Amino acid sequence: MEDLSKDKIEHYMKEAIALAQKAQICDEVPVGAIIVSNKGKIVAKAHNSPIGLNDPTAHAEILAIRQAAMVLNNYRLTDTIMFVTLEPCIMCAGALVWARIKKLFFGAYDKKAGAFGSVIDVNKLPGLNHRILVQGGILKKECALLLKEFFKKRR
């Protein structure tokens, strides 16, 4: 799983994009996330659901982390990789660190709330005992277009 090909990375990101599209159908901000095990198996899938669940923490990343922890029967998700369509916010970035996610691939950058380089970089905070390998900009045009169209319709 260490050396994922570009095609495999894009394949997983397309899975996350499909989940983001489901969120949009539910009138939620279109963000989708998946978690992949070190064997390449998808162990969790989620999309944003704070409105539907009446839960401000129900971001795609948080829901996927909860699901993966149940599936793997472990609160530490070491050797897993998350694919998410939008750069995680500070809440989600903290959850990724506490879950010990090994690697993160994200699509669109979030210039207003992104916590892996756009606004702040959680990986640069002193004192944390875990750092996540991060690569942003995967299928970023497709991911950003979903968000742009969603918010254009809401205005």
Side-chain angles (χ1 to χ4, degrees), residues 17-89:
I17 290 170
L19 291 164
Q21 291 167 332
K22 287 183 180 181
Q24 188 169 16
I25 291 167
C26 299
D27 208 26
E28 301 273 3
V29 175
V31 177
I34 66 168
I35 297 179
V36 178
S37 74
N38 62 355
K39 293 177 174 58
K41 179 183 176 199
I42 296 174
V43 295
K45 295 181 176 189
H47 61 73
N48 269 8
S49 297
I51 298 167
L53 295 176
N54 289 317
D55 179 355
T57 69
H59 290 195
E61 301 94 323
I62 301 292
L63 296 174
I65 287 169
R66 290 175 183 163
Q67 187 181 95
M70 295 298 287
V71 167
L72 298 173
N73 198 32
N74 197 334
Y75 73 103
R76 290 206 171 146
L77 304 177
T78 55
D79 294 327
T80 62
I81 300 173
M82 178 177 281
F83 293 82
V84 63
T85 57
L86 180 64
E87 179 182 2
C89 69

Side-chain angles (χ1 to χ4, degrees), residues 70-134:
M70 295 298 287
V71 167
L72 298 173
N73 198 32
N74 197 334
Y75 73 103
R76 290 206 171 146
L77 304 177
T78 55
D79 294 327
T80 62
I81 300 173
M82 178 177 281
F83 293 82
V84 63
T85 57
L86 180 64
E87 179 182 2
C89 69
I90 187 73
M91 174 183 69
C92 294
L96 269 78
V97 169
W98 291 120
R100 307 283 202 284
I101 299 283
K102 185 173 189 172
K103 192 163 192 171
L104 167 70
F105 290 98
F106 68 84
Y109 289 86
D110 187 345
K111 300 297 181 191
K112 293 182 181 178
F116 282 103
S118 289
V119 176
I120 65 163
D121 190 342
V122 167
N123 273 333
K124 293 182 180 175
L125 295 176
L128 294 179
N129 64 352
H130 179 70
R131 302 285 183 258
I132 299 167
L133 301 170
V134 179

Side-chain angles (χ1 to χ4, degrees), residues 6-7 9-15 17 85 106-108 136-145:
K6 181 182 177 191
D7 287 343
I9 292 167
E10 289 183 357
H11 165 77
Y12 287 128
M13 188 58 74
K14 286 176 183 174
E15 292 272 342
I17 290 170
T85 57
F106 68 84
I138 309 300
L139 300 179
K140 69 180 176 183
K141 288 180 183 176
E142 294 92 326
C143 295
L145 184 60

